[in-house]
Amino acid sequence: MGVPTHWDELNTLQTSHPIQESDLRLSINSPTGRDTLWVLVEGDADPYFYERLFDNSSTKVVKVGKMGTDGKLHGGCSVVKEIVANLLALGRTSRVIGIIDRDWRPFKEEAKSKLPPHIFETDQRDLEMTFLSYQSLREALRKEIIKSMNSNHLKWFNNGYWCRRNGDWFRDVWERCCKVSRYMGSLRIVVSHYGLPRVDFILKDYWNTGQYALWEEWEARLFRKTVEQTRCCYQRLLYYSWRVKYKFDLNHRTIYDVCRGHDFLSVMSKMLIDNAHYSERWMTFFMTKEMTIADIRSMQLFQNIDKWATSEGITMSVH
């Protein structure tokens, strides 16, 4: 088996550390800083993709963070929005924007309000789910995984637990991944909507490593984990879930609205056996590199930024 496409390139990349507001203020105050377009993002993989939207000679795409009470730098959409607002308030430059994940804003009251100035959000729940919403990228990912898979693993998939009657094992993996990550997403939406403590799901919550298959009662296990971590009683969480399900018609929402990209790719990575090669990080980077210029231009995010850039006299340069 050869390594998957872009594997070697991915391993040469250095994970960038978040930049604090104080450092950005110094950079913006420099002679070149005021003429630079500053694009602030929240995720590790974000700079690799968003750099493709701009002229790199006059743009800086940076992951930002804020020092927490634990002495560590933390990112996220709230940090991006805060730093963008603070930098704009300085009055040194208007060439500062923030790109955030849409998250579950459609399932909150704030969905009715406009985004803050100079803030743009992904088309789908997050960048990873935006990638997966493109048929061309889903097909490219499928072909690459099948092409580069270890021959013994491929035989196991074709003859084992995952194989459907039509022999399309990858479709089976995909559909099971959709079910698990959609259910995780629906629970996370409930938690977010009611302001409950954050929930972190781990492999053993849904995956039987001995049988290399989903637990038969994987939904019940995930629900119990949510009860434990939120400290919300079982019946109340059941009621919350029912209310959110019908209030937002979750059954008819696409996976790209409901699923969190991290959950989806993490579950898929575990199901593909060789999760060292088919890691969440590799799948994200693969789609970052494989997305075509035409696909990028079709994104609502790109069109929104392009409209703003035109008003500022900035030319977008997709590559």
Side-chain angles (χ1 to χ4, degrees), residues 134-152:
Y134 283 84
Q135 173 63 31
S136 58
L137 287 182
R138 296 197 301 272
E139 182 62 14
L141 187 63
R142 182 188 73 83
K143 287 181 178 179
E144 183 59 37
I145 290 171
I146 292 173
K147 181 186 77 173
S148 59
M149 179 164 282
N150 180 293
S151 58
N152 290 328

Side-chain angles (χ1 to χ4, degrees), residues 36-77:
T36 299
L37 171 60
W38 297 90
V39 182
L40 314 188
V41 298
E42 54 177 306
D44 288 336
D46 291 358
Y48 305 142
F49 174 69
Y50 291 127
E51 285 175 351
R52 294 192 58 193
L53 275 62
F54 305 97
D55 179 355
N56 292 338
S57 66
S58 58
T59 305
K60 294 289 186 183
V61 181
V62 294
K63 180 178 69 173
V64 292
K66 182 178 180 181
M67 190 67 68
T69 55
D70 58 359
K72 298 179 181 179
L73 288 175
H74 298 275
C77 67

Side-chain angles (χ1 to χ4, degrees), residues 215-251:
W215 291 105
E216 288 186 10
E217 71 282 12
W218 63 268
E219 287 178 293
R221 293 173 68 95
L222 289 173
F223 193 87
R224 286 197 300 270
K225 181 65 172 285
T226 307
V227 169
E228 292 170 7
Q229 293 201 356
T230 61
R231 298 180 181 177
C232 181
C233 76
Y234 185 95
Q235 291 299 326
R236 182 174 292 276
L237 187 62
L238 204 60
Y239 170 69
Y240 284 167
S241 299
W242 176 85
R243 284 204 63 183
V244 167
K245 177 181 177 181
Y246 288 99
K247 181 177 182 179
F248 298 111
D249 196 18
L250 290 188
N251 286 347

Side-chain angles (χ1 to χ4, degrees), residues 73-90:
L73 288 175
H74 298 275
C77 67
S78 60
V79 172
V80 171
K81 289 190 284 189
E82 178 185 337
I83 294 179
V84 167
N86 291 345
L87 293 177
L88 289 173
L90 289 175

